[in-house]
Amino acid sequence: MLLRINRASRRPLDGHLAALAGEQVFCSEFSYRRGTEVFGEGEEAEYVYQILSGAVRTYKLLSDGRRQINSFHLPGDMFGLENGTTHRFSAEAVVETRVRITKRRSLLETMTSRDEGASSVLSLVTRTLQHAENHMLLLGRKTALERVAAFLLEMDERLVHPNVLTLPMSRRDIADYLGLTIETVSRAFSTLRDEEMLRFDGQTQREIILLDREGLAEYDA
Amino acid sequence: MLLRINRASRRPLDGHLAALAGEQVFCSEFSYRRGTEVFGEGEEAEYVYQILSGAVRTYKLLSDGRRQINSFHLPGDMFGLENGTTHRFSAEAVVETRVRITKRRSLLETMTSRDEGASSVLSLVTRTLQHAENHMLLLGRKTALERVAAFLLEMDERLVHPNVLTLPMSRRDIADYLGLTIETVSRAFSTLRDEEMLRFDGQTQREIILLDREGLAEYDA
DNA sequence: CGTCGCGTTGACAAGGTTCAAATTTGGTGG
DNA sequence: CCACCAAATTTGAACCTTGTCAACGCGACG
């Protein structure tokens, strides 16, 4: 499917990709037929892509097939840039699509060697972005119980698995984080309590003991 | 509420913020009472924050008060970093919270002067992040009709307001983007057609003429 | 001791999903 | 070019998860 390979000229459109690649401006053009995969979640991230024509969707899947599309990429848009070495989501051509591809020579590493501050900023932003991607999947495709279970596991992990999980936020905050109402959140907590996935500690409902982390993880498809 | 101001020492925890600020390592510590605002959406972004203790929520609001919390920030976490000059969302202390504050001397500009490639990468990632933030608000807090209206306006804008909006993606793709089913998306299109917000062009249902962009924008609270 | 904020629970309503079927569109081969 | 078949889209009806509204309990605090 390789159409041609050339050393990129310095026309305006090349600006971004050229800059992204540093001095490594070897571009090639590629074409994907509608419905074909550009890259898959978990695959090695070797290239950065810029769309010349067509459209690409980037998405995440739950184990049972539920899909959340993060975004559509249209001509001029770039995608596929990753912080680490693997792709955090999949990409497919929506229609017949031409892209310009640039070899990604580990952008973060390249940058680190040149400017420590820059890479620090970048890694902050990409961590935030990664969280947002996961949260879009939660908001778009998970049930109330799955959302609450995921929330508990997230807090548990970020607080380094304490015996007693002390939530600083109210039910309203949790609801607004998970895209639910306080009543639904409350009912989910009660359900998980009844199923002995968790227990409330003390009087307050913000001190929680996770009794079955694996069980909670199963909710989180 | 200012507790003390000091020239930051070079202890390990300072690493990130120090690097973020380049050589400008003047830090101060601040305290916020529970429920108080750290910064508001649209405000000038002057500082970068790192949480010492407590918790902070960052969120967006719709005009009628519906709220979507993007994330909770816990001790060690940083937030408030912006690409442009203003904050894209608000931040409030969930509980009594201490933070370390570093003056942000226009990070992007600082970086641009030092490394063109780095700033190019950063601006790509932050644009993507900004899109994700808006999309979380849509997925967490908007109705089906609001989502579809927002989708049409997004595509319209990205394709530079064509007379006929040619959607490259299927109803399934749109549904998976908006966190809905294809049936709901289809019904929303029909409703908007019946209300004369749009018209289908030709035979196909992927060629759309927007008849009332302002009307659509009103759906998008 | 009364009030207020927070959380839980119940009854009911509603928006969205599921299931099913009709209709249209696009692709393919004759 | 047309016929035919598969895929996509629309529409209808029943159902269900979640939201809404209301009541209640509990603890904190004046």
Side-chain angles (χ1 to χ4, degrees):
Chain A
M1 209 70 50
L2 183 59
L3 294 186
R4 61 188 165 121
I5 299 183
N6 56 15
R7 189 181 284 261
S9 57
R10 291 290 188 162
R11 279 167 297 152
L13 235 182
D14 295 334
H16 272 134
L17 264 184
L20 283 170
E23 302 312 313
Q24 290 281 317
V25 196
F26 286 92
C27 299
S28 60
E29 291 185 9
F30 242 77
S31 217
Y32 294 93
R33 275 190 309 222
R34 67 185 240 107
T36 57
E37 182 176 82
V38 178
F39 56 77
E41 184 171 347
E43 282 182 20
E44 199 79 9
E46 292 187 85
Y47 304 101
V48 181
Y49 305 79
Q50 184 172 30
I51 297 189
L52 299 171
S53 69
V56 164
R57 55 179 175 250
T58 55
Y59 63 92
K60 281 174 167 282
L61 290 177
L62 293 176
S63 54
D64 63 0
R66 279 174 286 174
R67 180 177 69 159
Q68 177 61 47
I69 293 179
N70 292 330
S71 52
F72 293 111
H73 302 271
L74 303 177
D77 292 349
M78 287 182 294
F79 66 96
L81 183 63
E82 294 284 347
N83 193 355
T85 59
T86 58
H87 288 294
R88 296 188 301 250
F89 43 76
S90 307
E92 289 175 357
V94 174
V95 294
E96 173 82 17
T97 300
R98 282 189 310 128
V99 298
R100 177 183 290 126
I101 298 184
T102 305
K103 196 161 208 121
R104 169 205 114 100
R105 169 189 270 264
S106 185
L107 286 140
L108 188 56
E109 291 160 27
T110 305
M111 196 174 305
T112 303
S113 65
R114 286 186 291 188
D115 184 338
E116 193 180 317
S119 87
S120 175
V121 171
L122 182 63
S123 87
L124 170 60
V125 178
T126 54
R127 267 200 312 280
T128 308
L129 176 57
Q130 190 160 353
H131 178 271
E133 288 159 356
N134 293 330
H135 209 56
M136 287 190 286
L137 179 59
L138 179 148
L139 293 171
R141 288 300 179 213
K142 291 189 184 175
T143 67
L145 217 44
E146 289 169 343
R147 294 182 201 203
V148 172
F151 167 76
L152 287 170
L153 291 173
E154 179 191 351
M155 288 301 143
D156 181 54
E157 182 174 330
R158 290 175 63 186
L159 296 172
V160 202
H161 311 291
N163 283 326
V164 178
L165 185 56
T166 303
L167 300 177
M169 69 289 284
S170 67
R171 295 291 189 264
R172 163 140 304 288
D173 285 338
I174 297 171
D176 285 350
Y177 180 54
L178 300 178
L180 300 169
T181 60
I182 51 180
E183 293 92 337
T184 302
V185 170
S186 182
R187 281 185 246 270
F189 272 114
S190 299
T191 300
L192 293 174
R193 165 174 45 71
D194 295 347
E195 292 184 358
E196 298 187 320
M197 297 283 191
L198 58 82
R199 187 149 43 92
F200 290 112
D201 189 53
Q203 330 285 20
T204 168
Q205 284 89 335
R206 298 203 192 173
E207 315 262 306
I208 293 173
I209 299 172
L210 300 187
L211 300 173
D212 187 356
R213 291 182 170 84
E214 299 199 357
L216 287 172
E218 277 173 34
Y219 275 114
D220 203 352
Chain B
M1 209 74 49
L2 183 60
L3 294 185
R4 61 189 164 120
I5 299 181
N6 55 16
R7 191 183 281 263
S9 57
R10 291 290 189 163
R11 279 166 298 151
L13 235 181
D14 296 334
H16 271 133
L17 264 183
L20 283 170
E23 302 311 313
Q24 291 281 316
V25 196
F26 285 92
C27 299
S28 60
E29 292 186 8
F30 241 75
S31 215
Y32 294 93
R33 275 189 309 222
R34 67 185 239 107
T36 57
E37 183 176 82
V38 177
F39 56 76
E41 185 171 346
E43 283 183 19
E44 198 79 8
E46 292 188 85
Y47 304 101
V48 182
Y49 305 79
Q50 184 173 31
I51 297 190
L52 299 172
S53 69
V56 164
R57 55 180 174 247
T58 55
Y59 63 92
K60 281 173 167 283
L61 290 178
L62 293 176
S63 53
D64 63 359
R66 280 174 285 173
R67 180 178 70 159
Q68 178 61 47
I69 292 179
N70 292 331
S71 52
F72 293 112
H73 300 272
L74 303 176
D77 291 349
M78 287 183 292
F79 66 97
L81 184 61
E82 295 285 346
N83 193 355
T85 59
T86 58
H87 287 295
R88 295 187 301 250
F89 44 76
S90 306
E92 288 175 357
V94 173
V95 293
E96 172 83 16
T97 300
R98 282 189 310 128
V99 299
R100 177 182 290 126
I101 297 183
T102 305
K103 196 159 209 124
R104 170 204 113 99
R105 170 190 269 265
S106 184
L107 285 141
L108 189 56
E109 291 161 27
T110 304
M111 196 173 307
T112 303
S113 65
R114 286 186 292 187
D115 183 338
E116 194 180 317
S119 89
S120 176
V121 171
L122 182 62
S123 88
L124 170 60
V125 178
T126 54
R127 268 200 311 279
T128 308
L129 177 57
Q130 189 160 353
H131 178 270
E133 289 158 357
N134 293 331
H135 210 56
M136 285 191 286
L137 179 58
L138 178 148
L139 293 171
R141 287 302 179 212
K142 292 189 183 175
T143 66
L145 217 46
E146 288 170 344
R147 295 182 200 202
V148 172
F151 167 76
L152 287 170
L153 291 173
E154 179 190 350
M155 288 301 143
D156 180 55
E157 182 176 329
R158 291 175 61 186
L159 297 172
V160 203
H161 312 291
N163 284 326
V164 178
L165 185 55
T166 302
L167 300 178
M169 69 289 286
S170 67
R171 294 291 188 265
R172 164 140 303 289
D173 285 339
I174 297 171
D176 285 349
Y177 180 54
L178 301 178
L180 300 169
T181 60
I182 51 181
E183 293 92 336
T184 301
V185 170
S186 181
R187 281 184 247 271
F189 273 114
S190 298
T191 300
L192 293 174
R193 165 174 47 69
D194 295 347
E195 292 184 358
E196 298 187 320
M197 296 283 189
L198 59 81
R199 188 151 42 92
F200 290 111
D201 189 54
Q203 328 282 26
T204 170
Q205 287 89 334
R206 299 204 191 173
E207 315 262 306
I208 292 173
I209 298 171
L210 300 187
L211 300 173
D212 186 357
R213 291 180 170 84
E214 299 199 357
L216 287 173
E218 278 173 33
Y219 276 114
D220 202 353

